[in-house]
Amino acid sequence: MADDKKKGIVAEFKEFIARGNVVDMAVGVIIGGAFTSIVNSLVNDIFTPFLGMILAGVNFDSLGITIPWGNRPYINIGNFIQCIISFLLTAICVFAIVKVINAVRNNTLGKKKEEPKPEAPKPEPAPTKEELLLAEIRDLLKEQQNK
Protein backbone atom coordinates (compact mmCIF):
# COMPACT_ATOMS: atom_id res chain seq x y z
CA MET A 1 0.00 0.00 0.00
CA ALA A 2 2.91 2.35 0.70
CA ASP A 3 4.21 1.77 -2.85
CA ASP A 4 0.82 2.75 -4.30
CA LYS A 5 0.86 5.95 -2.28
CA LYS A 6 4.41 6.75 -3.41
CA LYS A 7 3.51 6.09 -7.04
CA GLY A 8 0.47 8.34 -6.63
CA ILE A 9 2.59 11.16 -5.23
CA VAL A 10 5.22 10.72 -7.94
CA ALA A 11 2.53 10.69 -10.66
CA GLU A 12 0.91 13.75 -9.11
CA PHE A 13 4.27 15.53 -8.98
CA LYS A 14 4.95 14.65 -12.63
CA GLU A 15 1.55 16.06 -13.59
CA PHE A 16 2.25 19.22 -11.59
CA ILE A 17 5.66 19.77 -13.20
CA ALA A 18 4.38 19.01 -16.70
CA ARG A 19 1.89 21.87 -16.57
CA GLY A 20 2.85 24.72 -18.85
CA ASN A 21 2.30 27.48 -16.31
CA VAL A 22 4.73 25.91 -13.80
CA VAL A 23 7.49 25.78 -16.40
CA ASP A 24 6.72 29.35 -17.50
CA MET A 25 6.84 30.51 -13.90
CA ALA A 26 10.20 28.80 -13.34
CA VAL A 27 11.66 30.43 -16.44
CA GLY A 28 10.28 33.79 -15.29
CA VAL A 29 11.88 33.44 -11.86
CA ILE A 30 15.28 32.54 -13.35
CA ILE A 31 15.21 35.37 -15.88
CA GLY A 32 13.91 37.73 -13.19
CA GLY A 33 16.89 36.90 -10.98
CA ALA A 34 19.32 37.60 -13.80
CA PHE A 35 17.45 40.76 -14.73
CA THR A 36 17.58 41.96 -11.12
CA SER A 37 21.37 41.81 -11.11
CA ILE A 38 21.47 43.86 -14.32
CA VAL A 39 19.14 46.50 -12.87
CA ASN A 40 21.10 46.59 -9.59
CA SER A 41 24.32 47.17 -11.51
CA LEU A 42 22.64 49.89 -13.55
CA VAL A 43 21.44 51.63 -10.38
CA ASN A 44 24.62 51.17 -8.30
CA ASP A 45 27.19 51.79 -11.02
CA ILE A 46 25.53 54.36 -13.28
CA PHE A 47 22.44 56.09 -11.89
CA THR A 48 23.47 56.53 -8.25
CA PRO A 49 26.86 58.15 -9.01
CA PHE A 50 25.19 60.35 -11.63
CA LEU A 51 22.47 61.34 -9.14
CA GLY A 52 25.16 62.02 -6.53
CA MET A 53 26.99 64.26 -9.01
CA ILE A 54 23.79 66.22 -9.67
CA LEU A 55 23.15 66.55 -5.93
CA ALA A 56 26.51 68.30 -5.33
CA GLY A 57 28.66 65.26 -4.72
CA VAL A 58 26.43 63.31 -2.36
CA ASN A 59 27.85 59.80 -1.93
CA PHE A 60 24.92 57.43 -1.46
CA ASP A 61 27.15 54.69 -0.06
CA SER A 62 27.96 56.82 2.97
CA LEU A 63 24.59 58.56 3.27
CA GLY A 64 23.14 57.58 6.61
CA ILE A 65 22.57 58.44 10.23
CA THR A 66 24.35 57.10 13.31
CA ILE A 67 22.12 57.10 16.35
CA PRO A 68 24.12 58.43 19.35
CA TRP A 69 22.78 56.07 22.04
CA GLY A 70 22.97 52.37 22.74
CA ASN A 71 25.40 50.51 20.51
CA ARG A 72 25.32 53.42 18.00
CA PRO A 73 23.35 51.77 15.17
CA TYR A 74 23.82 53.11 11.65
CA ILE A 75 20.75 53.72 9.48
CA ASN A 76 21.85 53.42 5.86
CA ILE A 77 19.54 55.82 4.03
CA GLY A 78 21.66 55.77 0.86
CA ASN A 79 21.20 52.03 0.39
CA PHE A 80 17.45 52.47 0.91
CA ILE A 81 17.34 55.15 -1.80
CA GLN A 82 19.30 52.85 -4.13
CA CYS A 83 16.79 50.05 -3.49
CA ILE A 84 13.88 52.37 -4.27
CA ILE A 85 15.51 53.46 -7.53
CA SER A 86 16.25 49.84 -8.39
CA PHE A 87 12.64 48.83 -7.71
CA LEU A 88 11.26 51.66 -9.84
CA LEU A 89 13.57 50.83 -12.74
CA THR A 90 12.68 47.14 -12.51
CA ALA A 91 8.97 47.98 -12.48
CA ILE A 92 9.33 50.28 -15.50
CA CYS A 93 11.27 47.64 -17.43
CA VAL A 94 8.76 44.89 -16.58
CA PHE A 95 5.90 47.21 -17.59
CA ALA A 96 7.59 47.93 -20.93
CA ILE A 97 8.24 44.22 -21.55
CA VAL A 98 4.62 43.31 -20.78
CA LYS A 99 3.37 46.08 -23.09
CA VAL A 100 5.55 44.79 -25.93
CA ILE A 101 4.50 41.18 -25.34
CA ASN A 102 0.82 42.15 -25.30
CA ALA A 103 1.26 44.18 -28.47
CA VAL A 104 2.96 41.27 -30.22
CA ARG A 105 0.38 38.84 -28.91
CA ASN A 106 -2.45 41.04 -30.17
CA ASN A 107 -0.55 41.65 -33.43
CA THR A 108 -0.90 45.40 -33.03
CA LEU A 109 2.76 46.36 -32.82
CA GLY A 110 3.10 49.46 -34.98
CA LYS A 111 -0.44 49.17 -36.29
CA LYS A 112 -3.39 51.23 -35.32
CA LYS A 113 -6.47 49.35 -34.32
CA GLU A 114 -9.10 49.69 -36.94
CA GLU A 115 -12.46 50.58 -35.58
CA PRO A 116 -15.31 48.57 -36.99
CA LYS A 117 -17.26 50.55 -39.54
CA PRO A 118 -20.85 51.11 -38.54
CA GLU A 119 -23.17 49.19 -40.79
CA ALA A 120 -25.92 51.04 -42.59
CA PRO A 121 -29.29 50.21 -41.12
CA LYS A 122 -30.97 47.52 -43.15
CA PRO A 123 -34.36 48.45 -44.56
CA GLU A 124 -37.21 46.48 -43.12
CA PRO A 125 -38.37 43.75 -45.47
CA ALA A 126 -41.72 44.24 -47.14
CA PRO A 127 -44.58 42.56 -45.26
CA THR A 128 -45.71 39.21 -46.55
CA LYS A 129 -49.23 38.59 -47.85
CA GLU A 130 -50.19 36.93 -44.55
CA GLU A 131 -48.96 39.95 -42.56
CA LEU A 132 -50.96 42.31 -44.81
CA LEU A 133 -54.08 40.16 -44.41
CA LEU A 134 -53.66 40.03 -40.62
CA ALA A 135 -53.18 43.82 -40.50
CA GLU A 136 -56.44 44.31 -42.46
CA ILE A 137 -58.29 41.97 -40.10
CA ARG A 138 -56.88 43.85 -37.09
CA ASP A 139 -57.97 47.18 -38.53
CA LEU A 140 -61.48 45.86 -39.28
CA LEU A 141 -61.82 44.54 -35.74
CA LYS A 142 -60.75 47.91 -34.32
CA GLU A 143 -63.35 49.69 -36.46
CA GLN A 144 -66.09 47.34 -35.25
CA GLN A 145 -65.15 47.87 -31.61
CA ASN A 146 -65.14 51.66 -31.99
CA LYS A 147 -68.72 51.71 -33.46
Side-chain angles (χ1 to χ4, degrees), residues 18-67:
R19 290 183 186 163
N21 55 359
V22 173
V23 175
D24 292 343
M25 184 179 67
V27 169
V29 168
I30 292 168
I31 290 176
F35 186 70
T36 300
S37 66
I38 292 170
V39 171
N40 286 339
S41 175
L42 179 68
V43 170
N44 296 334
D45 301 332
I46 296 172
F47 285 130
T48 304
F50 185 70
L51 190 61
M53 182 182 69
I54 291 173
L55 296 174
V58 173
N59 183 2
F60 282 94
D61 292 333
S62 63
L63 183 63
I65 299 171
T66 302
I67 298 176

Side-chain angles (χ1 to χ4, degrees), residues 49-93:
F50 185 70
L51 190 61
M53 182 182 69
I54 291 173
L55 296 174
V58 173
N59 183 2
F60 282 94
D61 292 333
S62 63
L63 183 63
I65 299 171
T66 302
I67 298 176
W69 60 83
N71 59 354
R72 304 182 58 84
Y74 181 75
I75 299 174
N76 193 352
I77 297 172
N79 189 36
F80 180 69
I81 293 171
Q82 285 180 337
C83 289
I84 290 173
I85 294 169
S86 179
F87 169 76
L88 291 175
L89 286 174
T90 304
I92 289 168
C93 292

Side-chain angles (χ1 to χ4, degrees), residues 2-3 8-9 13 28 49 63 77 79 85 91 93 98 100 118-119 133 143:
D3 288 338
I9 291 175
F13 182 72
L63 183 63
I77 297 172
N79 189 36
I85 294 169
C93 292
V98 168
V100 168
E119 294 182 18
L133 184 60
E143 285 179 20

Side-chain angles (χ1 to χ4, degrees), residues 100-134:
V100 168
I101 289 172
N102 286 339
V104 169
R105 186 174 288 162
N106 295 331
N107 199 18
T108 59
L109 188 62
K111 297 180 184 176
K112 291 184 180 178
K113 289 185 178 180
E114 294 182 16
E115 295 182 15
K117 296 178 182 176
E119 294 182 18
K122 296 180 181 178
E124 292 186 24
T128 62
K129 290 181 182 180
E130 291 85 13
E131 291 173 339
L132 290 173
L133 184 60
L134 288 171

